[in-house]
Amino acid sequence: MPKPRRAKSKSARKRDSAQLEFPEQSARRLAARASARAEQIADDAEESERPRRRLRDRLWNALAGLSLVPFVWIFTAALFNTFSKANLRHGRVPFWKSHEFVMFGLGAVLWLLWTCVCFLFWKRPRPVRAYVFGHEVMHGLMARVFGGRIKEFHVSADGGYIVTNKYNFLIALAPYLWPFYSVPVLAAWGVSYFVNGAPYLREFFLAALGFTWMFHLTFTLWVLPRGQSDLLGPGRIFSIALIYLVNAMLLGGALFVFAPEVSLRAYVRELSASALAFYEWVGNVFAQCVNLIGRLWGNA
């Protein structure tokens, strides 16, 4: 996970390090090496110091996270309602039993079975090195998008880190927002449509997409409770809300691939209905609170 380290030089440039930490002793040594290297790079310009987040910064991050709660509610309700109402046309089987969903679910189940085996024998999911590689690559790619340079890149089974001169919440949270290994699957799927005789591979790509998506989900759920420093900069409330929201939106987008009978208009209609229901609930709660306060004030 990314852990920023900054130092101010004469050109006022920030230098940061990002690292993925695991609870083992070797991971702590790796984290120490990453921190030491980041400090060494900063010292080449000028004296380095760890940034101290002020109370005001933490408060703003918490408020930003709470502001995402309505969207989390709305997108979750819309996603559930769209799935539950997705029935195939012409009286065929419901969406849950459709060929597309079954193939996607088969890939996801295969990964879950492998994860159970891993926890049974090794007490942790595997392969860790593959996840660490994808994790750090996502940090690096997002840093490059914002014009950053990658000073160092390290990956091992114990953890990894990058050292870059750019840092923001998108760079810090990039590995949790997008399933890295699903990208090449989707790219290969798109290319396959230009190959003669390849459409039968559609089932394979659906299963691979479910496999890689569940890989991303299980590792994300495994590393987040371990106090990842990626969440410290943006704030834990904001980070968790944004991670959930983006993944819900991505899953909603995948719905159009798996359920062609669900139109964009239907999904937007569910979003509107969920938003209206949420704000009606908020209005009712507010009105009840006002009435309660009025009665208490009148009895005082």
Side-chain angles (χ1 to χ4, degrees):
M1 68 186 289
K3 184 176 181 181
R5 298 192 53 87
R6 301 186 181 92
K8 292 184 179 178
S9 64
K10 292 180 180 179
S11 60
R13 232 168 33 178
K14 294 181 180 178
R15 304 176 183 275
D16 308 297
S17 77
Q19 61 193 32
L20 178 68
E21 298 169 342
F22 294 113
E24 289 79 359
Q25 197 71 20
S26 56
R28 288 196 290 269
R29 291 197 298 269
L30 181 65
R33 291 201 302 271
S35 299
R37 180 57 179 159
E39 291 176 359
Q40 180 183 353
I41 291 176
D43 287 339
D44 292 340
E46 205 174 303
E47 209 176 304
S48 68
E49 59 180 9
R50 181 182 293 271
R52 298 180 180 178
R53 296 176 60 217
R54 293 173 295 181
L55 179 61
R56 185 179 64 181
D57 299 326
R58 297 183 180 183
L59 179 60
W60 277 113
N61 288 340
L63 290 176
L66 292 175
S67 70
L68 294 178
V69 171
F71 298 98
V72 168
W73 180 307
I74 292 167
F75 275 92
T76 301
L79 185 62
F80 176 79
N81 292 335
T82 305
F83 265 106
S84 62
K85 296 177 182 178
N87 293 321
L88 292 174
R89 295 173 183 171
H90 309 300
R92 296 172 60 192
V93 297
F95 172 73
W96 303 104
K97 298 180 181 180
S98 66
H99 179 70
E100 292 83 1
F101 185 81
V102 168
M103 295 307 300
F104 179 86
L106 176 62
V109 169
L110 286 176
W111 173 257
L112 287 177
L113 290 175
W114 169 247
T115 301
C116 292
V117 172
C118 291
F119 275 104
L120 182 62
F121 288 98
W122 299 291
K123 311 301 181 185
R124 61 189 297 181
R126 288 193 173 193
V128 175
R129 189 188 295 270
Y131 174 75
V132 174
F133 175 78
H135 186 105
E136 301 305 333
V137 167
M138 286 305 302
H139 282 312
L141 289 176
M142 191 58 69
R144 291 292 296 168
V145 167
F146 285 97
R149 291 181 298 162
I150 308 302
K151 303 291 186 178
E152 287 195 26
F153 181 91
H154 180 85
V155 171
S156 74
D158 298 316
Y161 65 87
I162 67 167
V163 178
T164 179
N165 63 337
K166 287 287 183 179
Y167 180 83
N168 58 42
F169 75 92
L170 288 176
I171 295 174
L173 301 179
Y176 310 103
L177 301 179
W178 181 256
F180 173 74
Y181 289 102
S182 295
V183 176
V185 172
L186 291 171
W189 192 355
V191 172
S192 71
Y193 282 95
F194 297 96
V195 179
N196 292 331
Y200 67 90
L201 292 175
R202 183 169 182 268
E203 286 74 13
F204 168 78
F205 285 121
L206 283 168
L209 193 60
F211 189 87
T212 54
W213 199 301
M214 193 55 64
F215 171 90
H216 163 76
L217 182 61
T218 53
F219 266 103
T220 298
L221 294 177
W222 182 64
V223 301
L224 282 180
R226 284 167 165 70
Q228 298 299 301
S229 58
D230 290 339
L231 278 58
L232 296 181
R236 287 188 175 89
I237 297 176
F238 174 79
S239 299
I240 293 174
L242 183 63
I243 291 169
Y244 180 92
L245 178 60
V246 171
N247 279 273
M249 294 173 68
L250 289 175
L251 192 57
L255 178 64
F256 300 114
V257 177
F258 306 141
E261 71 279 4
V262 177
S263 65
L264 179 60
R265 180 179 299 180
Y267 184 60
V268 172
R269 186 168 57 247
E270 291 295 341
L271 282 174
S272 301
S274 299
L276 182 61
F278 175 79
Y279 287 109
E280 284 181 351
W281 177 81
V282 171
N284 292 333
V285 171
F286 181 76
Q288 291 176 8
C289 290
V290 170
N291 291 335
L292 179 61
I293 293 174
R295 288 197 299 268
L296 293 176
W297 184 268
N299 295 332

